[in-house]
Amino acid sequence: MKQMKNKYRMKLIKNMTIVAAALVLSIALHSCGMYSNYKLPSTGMAGEYSQYKNEPIDSTFLGNLDWKEIFTDPVLQGYISKALENNVNLENARLSVEIARAQLLGARLAMLPTLSLNPSGASSQFYDIGMDRNWTYNLSGAASWEIGVGMVPLNTRKQASQVVLQSEAYRQATRAQIISAVAQTYYALVSLNKQYLIYKETADNWSKSVEIMQQLKNAGRYNEVAVVQAKANYNSVLATIPEIERSILETNNSLSLLMNEPLSKWVVNPNSTPLVIQSVLDEGVPMQYLANRPDVAAAEHGFAAAFYATNIARGAFYPKITISAQGGFTNLVGSAVMNPGKWFLNLAGSIAQPLFMRGQLISNLKASEKRQKQALNTFEYTLLSAAAEVSNAVAAVDSKVTQQQYIDIQVENLAKAVEYNQLLQTLSTATYLEVITAQQALLGAQIQQVSNEMSISNASIALYRALGGGR
C-alpha cells in the first residue's frame, strides 16, 4: 500500500512538472516579441537614417571638430572655456546624465536576488505558575528572486540604457547651445562696439560740418536753413549713441549670465573679423550630416525607450515566478522552545498570474503603443527639421558673404562721395544738401556693413551647431 502511494505521488509530481514546463514554454513562445531588441524601421527617413548612424566617424567633418578649431579668436576661446566650466544649464545637463545612470544601475540591480538578515529575540515568563523565564532567539537570513516570464526587468534595464544615451545626447546639445550662445553674444558685442565707434567718429565729423556751414553762412554762401539742417543731423547721431551704450550694457550682462559670473564689462578683440564657415553642401543635405546631430540622436533614443516601454507593458500580462529561501539558527520550533537551538532551512516557490487587472493592462499596452508611434513621429520630424536647419544655415552664410562684398564696395564709394562733396563744398560747387545726403548714406552703409558682418558670424555659428557641433 505504501509503495502504491509513493508511486502515485511520483507520477503526480511528474505530470505537474510536464504541465508547468508546457505552460512556461507556451508563454515563452507567445511572448517572444518581448525578447526582441530595438531596431529602427527599414523604410522612410528612419530607414535611411539607420544606414548611416553606425558608420565610422569622420574626424575632419565640421560637426566633429573640436570647438577651438572653429572659434580661433583667443579672447572668445577664453570666454567659451569659462562658460563650459561654469554654466548652470550645462551643469544641470550633466546631473541629468548622472540621474539617468543611477536609474540604470537600479534597473540592473533589480534583476538580482533580494537578500536580508533578520535577527530577533524575545523573553517571556508566567509568574502565576512560577515558570522560569524563557528566552527565544532567531538568527536568520532570507533570499528572494523574482523571475518575470514577461522579461520586465530586462526590458526595464534596456529602457534605462536608452534614457542614459538620450541624456548624454541632450548634454552635447546643451554644450553646443552654450558654445554658440557665447560666440553669438561675443560677435554681437564686437558689432556694437564697432557701431559705437562709427557713431562717435561720425558725430565728430558732423560737428565739424556744422562749424563749416556756420562759417559759410557768416560768409553769405549758406543761409540759416543749411546750419539748422546740419545741427539736426548731428543731434540725431548723438541721440543714437545712448541707445547703443544701453545695448552694449545688456549684451555684457548676457555674456556674464552665460559664464555664470558677476555682471561685468567684457573685453573683446577690436580687430575681430567675421566668422566664416564655407559651404559644405553642393545639393541637398546628406543623411550622415544629420546623423551627427545630438538632437537627432536624442530623438532616436527616445523612440528606443518607448519601444522597450511597450515591451514592459506587454510583459505585464505574463506571470511572475518567485523563488525564496530562508535559513538560520533558532531555538523556537512552533510553540516549543528547545535548547540548544537548531539550524533550519525553508525553500518556497510561487507563480503570480494577473487575472483581474486585464482591462488596465490592455489600456496600458495600447497607450504604450501609441506613445511609441508618437516617439517615431517625433524622431522623423526631428530629421526633417534638422535638414531644413542645415540647408537654411548654408544658404544664410552664402548669401551674407556675397552681400558683404557689395556692401564693402558701397561703403568705399560712399566714403569717396563724402570726401568729394566736402571738397566741392569749399569750392562752392556743392550744396549743403549734397553734403548732408552723402554723409547720411555713408553712415547707413557703414552700420549695414557692421551688421552684416555679425549676420555672417551668426549664420556660420548656426551652421556649426546644425551640423552637430559641440565637441
Side-chain angles (χ1 to χ4, degrees):
M1 186 68 177
K2 186 175 181 180
Q3 291 179 349
M4 291 180 63
K5 288 182 178 180
N6 290 337
K7 184 177 180 182
Y8 176 77
R9 186 182 296 110
M10 294 298 296
K11 185 176 182 180
L12 180 61
I13 294 174
K14 181 179 179 181
N15 291 337
M16 290 178 65
T17 303
I18 293 174
V19 171
L23 176 63
V24 172
L25 179 61
S26 176
I27 293 173
L29 290 174
H30 285 84
S31 62
C32 60
M34 296 174 297
Y35 297 89
S36 60
N37 289 321
Y38 154 79
K39 63 179 181 179
L40 284 165
S42 57
T43 58
M45 290 199 67
E48 185 181 353
Y49 167 84
S50 65
Q51 300 176 15
Y52 293 97
K53 61 170 291 189
N54 294 322
E55 285 191 354
I57 296 176
D58 182 3
S59 59
T60 62
F61 174 61
L62 177 63
N64 292 326
L65 293 178
D66 186 273
W67 63 265
K68 291 183 180 179
E69 298 183 49
I70 304 297
F71 305 100
T72 56
D73 187 317
V75 178
L76 174 57
Q77 285 184 348
Y79 293 159
I80 293 176
S81 296
K82 185 173 291 187
L84 292 177
E85 182 179 351
N86 297 339
N87 189 271
V88 175
N89 291 332
L90 185 59
E91 174 63 13
N92 287 338
R94 185 191 67 80
L95 293 174
S96 295
V97 174
E98 296 301 322
I99 291 171
R101 287 176 178 169
Q103 293 171 339
L104 173 59
L105 178 61
R108 287 173 174 170
L109 296 179
M111 302 180 68
L112 300 178
T114 300
L115 303 176
S116 62
L117 182 64
N118 309 303
S120 62
S123 170
S124 61
Q125 184 176 14
F126 297 92
Y127 290 98
D128 56 342
I129 58 177
M131 293 182 60
D132 294 335
R133 180 179 297 274
N134 290 324
W135 287 93
T136 61
Y137 53 87
N138 183 19
L139 302 174
S140 64
S144 178
W145 188 26
E146 184 179 285
I147 305 173
V149 176
M151 301 299 291
V152 171
L154 178 60
N155 282 302
T156 301
R157 179 177 63 81
K158 291 181 178 180
Q159 181 190 34
S161 297
Q162 293 298 326
V163 173
V164 170
L165 295 175
Q166 186 181 36
S167 299
E168 291 175 345
Y170 278 135
R171 185 190 179 200
Q172 185 195 333
T174 303
R175 180 182 171 89
Q177 289 173 357
I178 292 169
I179 293 173
S180 300
V182 173
Q184 287 177 336
T185 307
Y186 178 83
Y187 284 111
L189 197 55
V190 170
S191 176
L192 288 170
N193 285 341
K194 287 183 178 180
Q195 290 182 38
Y196 178 79
L197 293 176
I198 289 173
Y199 274 100
K200 291 288 288 185
E201 183 179 351
T202 300
D204 292 339
N205 292 335
W206 287 16
S207 175
K208 295 176 183 178
S209 294
V210 171
E211 295 177 2
I212 292 174
M213 289 188 180
Q214 183 67 50
Q215 293 172 1
L216 293 174
K217 177 206 168 193
N218 295 336
R221 293 173 53 186
Y222 283 157
N223 55 28
E224 184 65 22
V225 175
V227 177
V228 171
Q229 184 69 49
K231 288 181 178 180
N233 288 339
Y234 170 63
N235 281 279
S236 69
V237 173
L238 293 179
T240 306
I241 292 176
E243 185 67 16
I244 296 178
E245 291 175 335
R246 180 185 65 82
S247 298
I248 290 175
L249 173 65
E250 292 177 349
T251 307
N252 272 294
N253 291 343
S254 297
L255 194 55
S256 298
L257 291 175
L258 286 170
M259 293 187 287
N260 199 26
E261 291 280 342
L263 301 182
S264 305
K265 182 177 180 180
W266 301 97
V267 177
V268 297
N269 184 358
N271 299 319
S272 179
T273 57
L275 174 68
V276 181
I277 297 178
Q278 297 299 325
S279 299
V280 294
L281 305 178
D282 295 326
E283 184 177 352
V285 181
M287 185 59 70
Q288 57 264 37
Y289 289 176
L290 306 182
N292 197 63
R293 288 173 55 117
D295 60 334
V296 171
E300 192 221 337
H301 293 310
F303 172 56
F307 172 87
Y308 288 117
T310 302
N311 280 359
I312 293 171
R314 190 176 290 114
F317 285 86
Y318 298 96
K320 298 177 182 179
I321 301 173
T322 303
I323 300 174
S324 60
Q326 184 180 19
F329 191 79
T330 184
N331 69 338
L332 180 63
V333 182
S335 60
V337 178
M338 62 181 180
N339 286 297
K342 301 291 185 181
W343 290 97
F344 72 93
L345 176 65
N346 295 326
L347 298 174
S350 64
I351 298 179
Q353 171 65 52
L355 295 177
F356 300 107
M357 295 177 61
R358 187 166 179 80
Q360 180 180 348
L361 295 178
I362 290 176
S363 65
N364 289 343
L365 177 58
K366 288 184 176 180
S368 295
E369 290 173 341
K370 300 305 179 184
R371 282 191 286 267
Q372 182 179 338
K373 178 59 177 175
Q374 283 181 330
L376 178 59
N377 292 340
T378 300
F379 169 60
E380 291 186 331
Y381 181 79
T382 302
L383 283 172
L384 287 173
S385 178
E389 188 176 344
V390 173
S391 179
N392 291 343
V394 170
V397 173
D398 291 343
S399 65
K400 291 298 179 181
V401 168
T402 302
Q403 186 179 7
Q404 189 68 23
Q405 296 172 358
Y406 296 113
I407 294 175
D408 291 342
I409 297 173
Q410 180 188 22
V411 170
E412 181 180 353
N413 289 329
L414 287 173
K416 292 179 180 178
V418 170
E419 181 183 353
Y420 295 158
N421 274 291
Q422 289 175 340
L423 179 60
L424 292 173
Q425 183 185 41
T426 61
L427 300 175
S428 301
T429 57
T431 67
Y432 74 92
L433 287 177
E434 290 174 324
V435 174
I436 291 174
T437 300
Q439 289 175 334
Q440 290 175 333
L442 175 59
L443 175 60
Q446 287 175 324
I447 297 303
Q448 185 183 13
Q449 183 183 43
V450 173
S451 177
N452 197 71
E453 287 179 350
M454 184 178 68
S455 297
I456 293 174
S457 297
N458 287 341
S460 298
I461 294 168
L463 179 58
Y464 165 75
R465 186 177 64 249
L467 293 174
R471 271 69 177 179

